[in-house]
């Protein structure tokens, strides 16, 4: 984590921690805490954006919703009243 935090200077910071722990550790600790807070803030923003985009774009396009819609349409189309209406219309068409 220290090498990622300080980049090219990461190895020298680790050496400073071993050589001068009393002065180097508080500085590195403070910097790590700042970075953790920054990452948490960024993560929270990204999660909010992700949730909003998911809600907007994916709900109507979700594949698991479509079978339920078509199943409901089929079930409602084969009610006894609808079948009777179809028979009556077919009978009128033959007359």
């Amino acid at each position: 984590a220290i090498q990622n935090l300080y980049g090219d200077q990461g190895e020298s910071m680790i050496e400073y921690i071993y050589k001068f722990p009393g002065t180097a550790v508080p500085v590195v600790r403070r910097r790590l805490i700042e970075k953790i807070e920054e990452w948490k803030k960024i993560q929270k923003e990204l999660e909010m954006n992700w949730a909003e985009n998911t809600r907007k774009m994916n709900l109507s396009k979700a594949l698991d919703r479509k079978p339920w819609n078509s199943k409901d349409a089929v079930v409602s189309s084969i009610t006894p009243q609808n079948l009777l209406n179809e028979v009556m219309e077919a009978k009128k068409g033959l007359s």
Side-chain angles (χ1 to χ4, degrees):
I2 293 172
Q3 288 180 340
N4 289 340
L5 184 63
Y6 285 98
D8 296 337
Q9 302 297 321
E11 290 183 30
S12 62
M13 286 304 296
I14 292 173
E15 288 177 25
Y16 287 135
I17 290 173
Y18 283 114
K19 289 180 183 177
F20 311 106
T23 56
V25 170
V27 172
V28 172
R29 182 178 178 269
R30 190 176 334 115
R31 174 94 168 146
L32 285 171
I33 290 172
E34 288 174 1
K35 277 298 187 181
I36 289 171
E37 290 174 2
E38 180 182 332
W39 291 334
K40 284 182 181 181
K41 181 181 176 185
I42 291 170
Q43 181 183 10
K44 188 174 182 178
E45 290 174 4
L46 290 175
E47 285 176 355
M48 288 174 29
N49 289 342
W50 176 80
E52 182 179 338
N53 288 338
T54 301
R55 187 181 68 247
K56 281 184 193 175
M57 299 176 73
N58 293 339
L59 182 62
S60 64
K61 296 178 185 177
L63 295 176
D64 57 348
R65 278 189 69 204
K66 293 182 181 180
W68 293 106
N69 292 343
S70 61
K71 181 181 175 185
D72 290 341
V74 169
V75 168
S76 65
S77 69
I78 58 171
T79 60
Q81 184 63 38
N82 285 343
L83 292 174
L84 183 61
N85 289 341
E86 282 185 39
V87 169
M88 296 301 273
E89 287 177 18
K91 183 178 178 185
K92 285 181 185 177
L94 292 175
S95 303

PDB file of all heavy atoms in Angstrom, residues 12-36:
ATOM      1  N   SER A  12      11.835   4.096  -0.771  1.00  0.00           N
ATOM      2  CA  SER A  12      12.576   4.966   0.145  1.00  0.00           C
ATOM      3  C   SER A  12      11.736   5.295   1.388  1.00  0.00           C
ATOM      4  O   SER A  12      12.278   5.419   2.485  1.00  0.00           O
ATOM      5  CB  SER A  12      13.025   6.251  -0.557  1.00  0.00           C
ATOM      6  OG  SER A  12      11.908   6.987  -0.991  1.00  0.00           O
ATOM      7  N   MET A  13      10.413   5.391   1.245  1.00  0.00           N
ATOM      8  CA  MET A  13       9.553   5.628   2.405  1.00  0.00           C
ATOM      9  C   MET A  13       9.585   4.435   3.355  1.00  0.00           C
ATOM     10  O   MET A  13       9.599   4.606   4.572  1.00  0.00           O
ATOM     11  CB  MET A  13       8.118   5.921   1.977  1.00  0.00           C
ATOM     12  CG  MET A  13       7.913   7.304   1.382  1.00  0.00           C
ATOM     13  SD  MET A  13       8.442   8.641   2.461  1.00  0.00           S
ATOM     14  CE  MET A  13       7.322   8.460   3.815  1.00  0.00           C
ATOM     15  N   ILE A  14       9.624   3.225   2.794  1.00  0.00           N
ATOM     16  CA  ILE A  14       9.713   2.038   3.637  1.00  0.00           C
ATOM     17  C   ILE A  14      11.051   2.035   4.393  1.00  0.00           C
ATOM     18  O   ILE A  14      11.100   1.697   5.579  1.00  0.00           O
ATOM     19  CB  ILE A  14       9.525   0.762   2.787  1.00  0.00           C
ATOM     20  CG1 ILE A  14       8.076   0.697   2.280  1.00  0.00           C
ATOM     21  CG2 ILE A  14       9.851  -0.488   3.596  1.00  0.00           C
ATOM     22  CD1 ILE A  14       7.801  -0.409   1.307  1.00  0.00           C
ATOM     23  N   GLU A  15      12.109   2.447   3.717  1.00  0.00           N
ATOM     24  CA  GLU A  15      13.408   2.550   4.393  1.00  0.00           C
ATOM     25  C   GLU A  15      13.351   3.574   5.529  1.00  0.00           C
ATOM     26  O   GLU A  15      13.876   3.335   6.622  1.00  0.00           O
ATOM     27  CB  GLU A  15      14.497   2.941   3.401  1.00  0.00           C
ATOM     28  CG  GLU A  15      14.871   1.840   2.431  1.00  0.00           C
ATOM     29  CD  GLU A  15      15.907   2.302   1.424  1.00  0.00           C
ATOM     30  OE1 GLU A  15      16.671   3.254   1.712  1.00  0.00           O
ATOM     31  OE2 GLU A  15      15.959   1.699   0.336  1.00  0.00           O
ATOM     32  N   TYR A  16      12.720   4.717   5.279  1.00  0.00           N
ATOM     33  CA  TYR A  16      12.579   5.739   6.328  1.00  0.00           C
ATOM     34  C   TYR A  16      11.786   5.203   7.523  1.00  0.00           C
ATOM     35  O   TYR A  16      12.086   5.538   8.665  1.00  0.00           O
ATOM     36  CB  TYR A  16      11.896   6.990   5.796  1.00  0.00           C
ATOM     37  CG  TYR A  16      12.760   7.829   4.890  1.00  0.00           C
ATOM     38  CD1 TYR A  16      12.254   8.338   3.701  1.00  0.00           C
ATOM     39  CD2 TYR A  16      14.070   8.121   5.220  1.00  0.00           C
ATOM     40  CE1 TYR A  16      13.039   9.105   2.867  1.00  0.00           C
ATOM     41  CE2 TYR A  16      14.867   8.889   4.388  1.00  0.00           C
ATOM     42  CZ  TYR A  16      14.352   9.374   3.205  1.00  0.00           C
ATOM     43  OH  TYR A  16      15.140  10.128   2.383  1.00  0.00           O
ATOM     44  N   ILE A  17      10.786   4.380   7.246  1.00  0.00           N
ATOM     45  CA  ILE A  17       9.999   3.808   8.342  1.00  0.00           C
ATOM     46  C   ILE A  17      10.880   2.926   9.217  1.00  0.00           C
ATOM     47  O   ILE A  17      10.787   2.961  10.439  1.00  0.00           O
ATOM     48  CB  ILE A  17       8.780   3.028   7.790  1.00  0.00           C
ATOM     49  CG1 ILE A  17       7.755   4.005   7.207  1.00  0.00           C
ATOM     50  CG2 ILE A  17       8.129   2.171   8.869  1.00  0.00           C
ATOM     51  CD1 ILE A  17       6.605   3.348   6.489  1.00  0.00           C
ATOM     52  N   TYR A  18      11.753   2.146   8.580  1.00  0.00           N
ATOM     53  CA  TYR A  18      12.655   1.295   9.365  1.00  0.00           C
ATOM     54  C   TYR A  18      13.725   2.110  10.092  1.00  0.00           C
ATOM     55  O   TYR A  18      14.067   1.816  11.235  1.00  0.00           O
ATOM     56  CB  TYR A  18      13.318   0.244   8.471  1.00  0.00           C
ATOM     57  CG  TYR A  18      12.405  -0.906   8.121  1.00  0.00           C
ATOM     58  CD1 TYR A  18      11.983  -1.119   6.817  1.00  0.00           C
ATOM     59  CD2 TYR A  18      11.959  -1.786   9.106  1.00  0.00           C
ATOM     60  CE1 TYR A  18      11.149  -2.170   6.496  1.00  0.00           C
ATOM     61  CE2 TYR A  18      11.120  -2.834   8.796  1.00  0.00           C
ATOM     62  CZ  TYR A  18      10.718  -3.025   7.494  1.00  0.00           C
ATOM     63  OH  TYR A  18       9.891  -4.069   7.189  1.00  0.00           O
ATOM     64  N   LYS A  19      14.243   3.151   9.431  1.00  0.00           N
ATOM     65  CA  LYS A  19      15.327   3.936  10.033  1.00  0.00           C
ATOM     66  C   LYS A  19      14.820   4.920  11.083  1.00  0.00           C
ATOM     67  O   LYS A  19      15.426   5.093  12.137  1.00  0.00           O
ATOM     68  CB  LYS A  19      16.094   4.704   8.952  1.00  0.00           C
ATOM     69  CG  LYS A  19      16.933   3.820   8.065  1.00  0.00           C
ATOM     70  CD  LYS A  19      17.657   4.659   7.025  1.00  0.00           C
ATOM     71  CE  LYS A  19      18.446   3.778   6.071  1.00  0.00           C
ATOM     72  NZ  LYS A  19      19.093   4.579   5.018  1.00  0.00           N
ATOM     73  N   PHE A  20      13.723   5.608  10.777  1.00  0.00           N
ATOM     74  CA  PHE A  20      13.193   6.657  11.667  1.00  0.00           C
ATOM     75  C   PHE A  20      11.705   6.430  11.926  1.00  0.00           C
ATOM     76  O   PHE A  20      10.853   7.208  11.473  1.00  0.00           O
ATOM     77  CB  PHE A  20      13.396   8.043  11.042  1.00  0.00           C
ATOM     78  CG  PHE A  20      14.781   8.292  10.552  1.00  0.00           C
ATOM     79  CD1 PHE A  20      15.060   8.298   9.190  1.00  0.00           C
ATOM     80  CD2 PHE A  20      15.816   8.520  11.445  1.00  0.00           C
ATOM     81  CE1 PHE A  20      16.339   8.534   8.734  1.00  0.00           C
ATOM     82  CE2 PHE A  20      17.096   8.752  10.988  1.00  0.00           C
ATOM     83  CZ  PHE A  20      17.374   8.757   9.638  1.00  0.00           C
ATOM     84  N   PRO A  21      11.352   5.377  12.646  1.00  0.00           N
ATOM     85  CA  PRO A  21       9.924   5.062  12.819  1.00  0.00           C
ATOM     86  C   PRO A  21       9.150   6.135  13.580  1.00  0.00           C
ATOM     87  O   PRO A  21       7.969   6.343  13.307  1.00  0.00           O
ATOM     88  CB  PRO A  21       9.934   3.737  13.584  1.00  0.00           C
ATOM     89  CG  PRO A  21      11.270   3.628  14.200  1.00  0.00           C
ATOM     90  CD  PRO A  21      12.208   4.415  13.334  1.00  0.00           C
ATOM     91  N   GLY A  22       9.802   6.825  14.497  1.00  0.00           N
ATOM     92  CA  GLY A  22       9.107   7.838  15.290  1.00  0.00           C
ATOM     93  C   GLY A  22       8.601   8.999  14.471  1.00  0.00           C
ATOM     94  O   GLY A  22       7.573   9.602  14.776  1.00  0.00           O
ATOM     95  N   THR A  23       9.300   9.355  13.423  1.00  0.00           N
ATOM     96  CA  THR A  23       8.887  10.489  12.599  1.00  0.00           C
ATOM     97  C   THR A  23       8.175  10.051  11.318  1.00  0.00           C
ATOM     98  O   THR A  23       7.270  10.738  10.838  1.00  0.00           O
ATOM     99  CB  THR A  23      10.102  11.357  12.215  1.00  0.00           C
ATOM    100  OG1 THR A  23      11.068  10.541  11.561  1.00  0.00           O
ATOM    101  CG2 THR A  23      10.705  11.993  13.445  1.00  0.00           C
ATOM    102  N   ALA A  24       8.560   8.911  10.756  1.00  0.00           N
ATOM    103  CA  ALA A  24       7.999   8.492   9.465  1.00  0.00           C
ATOM    104  C   ALA A  24       6.611   7.858   9.605  1.00  0.00           C
ATOM    105  O   ALA A  24       5.739   8.093   8.766  1.00  0.00           O
ATOM    106  CB  ALA A  24       8.945   7.528   8.768  1.00  0.00           C
ATOM    107  N   VAL A  25       6.419   7.066  10.642  1.00  0.00           N
ATOM    108  CA  VAL A  25       5.142   6.350  10.782  1.00  0.00           C
ATOM    109  C   VAL A  25       3.951   7.296  10.921  1.00  0.00           C
ATOM    110  O   VAL A  25       2.930   7.097  10.240  1.00  0.00           O
ATOM    111  CB  VAL A  25       5.215   5.330  11.949  1.00  0.00           C
ATOM    112  CG1 VAL A  25       3.839   4.764  12.260  1.00  0.00           C
ATOM    113  CG2 VAL A  25       6.175   4.204  11.600  1.00  0.00           C
ATOM    114  N   PRO A  26       4.001   8.343  11.755  1.00  0.00           N
ATOM    115  CA  PRO A  26       2.837   9.245  11.829  1.00  0.00           C
ATOM    116  C   PRO A  26       2.522   9.932  10.500  1.00  0.00           C
ATOM    117  O   PRO A  26       1.352  10.124  10.148  1.00  0.00           O
ATOM    118  CB  PRO A  26       3.236  10.275  12.887  1.00  0.00           C
ATOM    119  CG  PRO A  26       4.267   9.611  13.707  1.00  0.00           C
ATOM    120  CD  PRO A  26       4.987   8.686  12.782  1.00  0.00           C
ATOM    121  N   VAL A  27       3.567  10.275   9.751  1.00  0.00           N
ATOM    122  CA  VAL A  27       3.349  10.935   8.458  1.00  0.00           C
ATOM    123  C   VAL A  27       2.687   9.976   7.483  1.00  0.00           C
ATOM    124  O   VAL A  27       1.706  10.319   6.808  1.00  0.00           O
ATOM    125  CB  VAL A  27       4.692  11.468   7.891  1.00  0.00           C
ATOM    126  CG1 VAL A  27       4.511  11.983   6.483  1.00  0.00           C
ATOM    127  CG2 VAL A  27       5.264  12.534   8.798  1.00  0.00           C
ATOM    128  N   VAL A  28       3.203   8.755   7.403  1.00  0.00           N
ATOM    129  CA  VAL A  28       2.649   7.761   6.484  1.00  0.00           C
ATOM    130  C   VAL A  28       1.232   7.381   6.918  1.00  0.00           C
ATOM    131  O   VAL A  28       0.338   7.251   6.080  1.00  0.00           O
ATOM    132  CB  VAL A  28       3.559   6.514   6.420  1.00  0.00           C
ATOM    133  CG1 VAL A  28       2.909   5.406   5.620  1.00  0.00           C
ATOM    134  CG2 VAL A  28       4.903   6.879   5.813  1.00  0.00           C
ATOM    135  N   ARG A  29       1.026   7.245   8.215  1.00  0.00           N
ATOM    136  CA  ARG A  29      -0.301   6.904   8.733  1.00  0.00           C
ATOM    137  C   ARG A  29      -1.320   7.972   8.360  1.00  0.00           C
ATOM    138  O   ARG A  29      -2.418   7.668   7.904  1.00  0.00           O
ATOM    139  CB  ARG A  29      -0.248   6.737  10.247  1.00  0.00           C
ATOM    140  CG  ARG A  29      -1.561   6.333  10.856  1.00  0.00           C
ATOM    141  CD  ARG A  29      -1.426   6.147  12.369  1.00  0.00           C
ATOM    142  NE  ARG A  29      -2.686   5.812  12.959  1.00  0.00           N
ATOM    143  CZ  ARG A  29      -3.548   6.688  13.440  1.00  0.00           C
ATOM    144  NH1 ARG A  29      -3.269   7.982  13.418  1.00  0.00           N
ATOM    145  NH2 ARG A  29      -4.687   6.299  13.957  1.00  0.00           N
ATOM    146  N   ARG A  30      -0.969   9.238   8.556  1.00  0.00           N
ATOM    147  CA  ARG A  30      -1.864  10.344   8.218  1.00  0.00           C
ATOM    148  C   ARG A  30      -2.190  10.326   6.725  1.00  0.00           C
ATOM    149  O   ARG A  30      -3.347  10.496   6.312  1.00  0.00           O
ATOM    150  CB  ARG A  30      -1.214  11.673   8.609  1.00  0.00           C
ATOM    151  CG  ARG A  30      -2.151  12.844   8.522  1.00  0.00           C
ATOM    152  CD  ARG A  30      -1.551  14.172   8.993  1.00  0.00           C
ATOM    153  NE  ARG A  30      -0.481  14.042   9.963  1.00  0.00           N
ATOM    154  CZ  ARG A  30       0.786  14.412   9.725  1.00  0.00           C
ATOM    155  NH1 ARG A  30       1.129  14.921   8.565  1.00  0.00           N
ATOM    156  NH2 ARG A  30       1.712  14.275  10.656  1.00  0.00           N
ATOM    157  N   ARG A  31      -1.183  10.083   5.923  1.00  0.00           N
ATOM    158  CA  ARG A  31      -1.383  10.054   4.463  1.00  0.00           C
ATOM    159  C   ARG A  31      -2.280   8.876   4.063  1.00  0.00           C
ATOM    160  O   ARG A  31      -3.141   9.015   3.197  1.00  0.00           O
ATOM    161  CB  ARG A  31      -0.018   9.951   3.780  1.00  0.00           C
ATOM    162  CG  ARG A  31      -0.065   9.774   2.308  1.00  0.00           C
ATOM    163  CD  ARG A  31       0.033  11.059   1.587  1.00  0.00           C
ATOM    164  NE  ARG A  31       0.268  10.738   0.172  1.00  0.00           N
ATOM    165  CZ  ARG A  31      -0.184  11.442  -0.796  1.00  0.00           C
ATOM    166  NH1 ARG A  31      -0.827  12.536  -0.552  1.00  0.00           N
ATOM    167  NH2 ARG A  31       0.038  11.090  -2.034  1.00  0.00           N
ATOM    168  N   LEU A  32      -2.076   7.733   4.691  1.00  0.00           N
ATOM    169  CA  LEU A  32      -2.926   6.570   4.398  1.00  0.00           C
ATOM    170  C   LEU A  32      -4.375   6.829   4.794  1.00  0.00           C
ATOM    171  O   LEU A  32      -5.300   6.470   4.057  1.00  0.00           O
ATOM    172  CB  LEU A  32      -2.394   5.328   5.120  1.00  0.00           C
ATOM    173  CG  LEU A  32      -1.145   4.681   4.528  1.00  0.00           C
ATOM    174  CD1 LEU A  32      -0.624   3.604   5.464  1.00  0.00           C
ATOM    175  CD2 LEU A  32      -1.419   4.107   3.159  1.00  0.00           C
ATOM    176  N   ILE A  33      -4.590   7.446   5.923  1.00  0.00           N
ATOM    177  CA  ILE A  33      -5.953   7.761   6.365  1.00  0.00           C
ATOM    178  C   ILE A  33      -6.615   8.735   5.393  1.00  0.00           C
ATOM    179  O   ILE A  33      -7.786   8.576   5.036  1.00  0.00           O
ATOM    180  CB  ILE A  33      -5.942   8.310   7.807  1.00  0.00           C
ATOM    181  CG1 ILE A  33      -5.578   7.192   8.779  1.00  0.00           C
ATOM    182  CG2 ILE A  33      -7.285   8.919   8.172  1.00  0.00           C
ATOM    183  CD1 ILE A  33      -5.350   7.655  10.192  1.00  0.00           C
ATOM    184  N   GLU A  34      -5.873   9.728   4.921  1.00  0.00           N
ATOM    185  CA  GLU A  34      -6.422  10.673   3.943  1.00  0.00           C
ATOM    186  C   GLU A  34      -6.820   9.954   2.660  1.00  0.00           C
ATOM    187  O   GLU A  34      -7.882  10.215   2.096  1.00  0.00           O
ATOM    188  CB  GLU A  34      -5.393  11.755   3.619  1.00  0.00           C
ATOM    189  CG  GLU A  34      -5.156  12.750   4.719  1.00  0.00           C
ATOM    190  CD  GLU A  34      -4.014  13.713   4.400  1.00  0.00           C
ATOM    191  OE1 GLU A  34      -3.414  13.608   3.300  1.00  0.00           O
ATOM    192  OE2 GLU A  34      -3.701  14.555   5.257  1.00  0.00           O
ATOM    193  N   LYS A  35      -5.952   9.053   2.207  1.00  0.00           N
ATOM    194  CA  LYS A  35      -6.247   8.326   0.971  1.00  0.00           C
ATOM    195  C   LYS A  35      -7.453   7.407   1.146  1.00  0.00           C
ATOM    196  O   LYS A  35      -8.274   7.288   0.247  1.00  0.00           O
ATOM    197  CB  LYS A  35      -5.037   7.498   0.524  1.00  0.00           C
ATOM    198  CG  LYS A  35      -4.034   8.297  -0.242  1.00  0.00           C
ATOM    199  CD  LYS A  35      -4.670   8.818  -1.508  1.00  0.00           C
ATOM    200  CE  LYS A  35      -3.662   9.486  -2.383  1.00  0.00           C
ATOM    201  NZ  LYS A  35      -4.246  10.031  -3.604  1.00  0.00           N
ATOM    202  N   ILE A  36      -7.554   6.762   2.301  1.00  0.00           N
ATOM    203  CA  ILE A  36      -8.703   5.890   2.549  1.00  0.00           C
ATOM    204  C   ILE A  36      -9.995   6.688   2.516  1.00  0.00           C
ATOM    205  O   ILE A  36     -10.985   6.275   1.898  1.00  0.00           O
ATOM    206  CB  ILE A  36      -8.538   5.146   3.890  1.00  0.00           C
ATOM    207  CG1 ILE A  36      -7.449   4.089   3.767  1.00  0.00           C
ATOM    208  CG2 ILE A  36      -9.849   4.513   4.329  1.00  0.00           C
ATOM    209  CD1 ILE A  36      -7.057   3.451   5.083  1.00  0.00           C
TER     210      ILE A  36
END
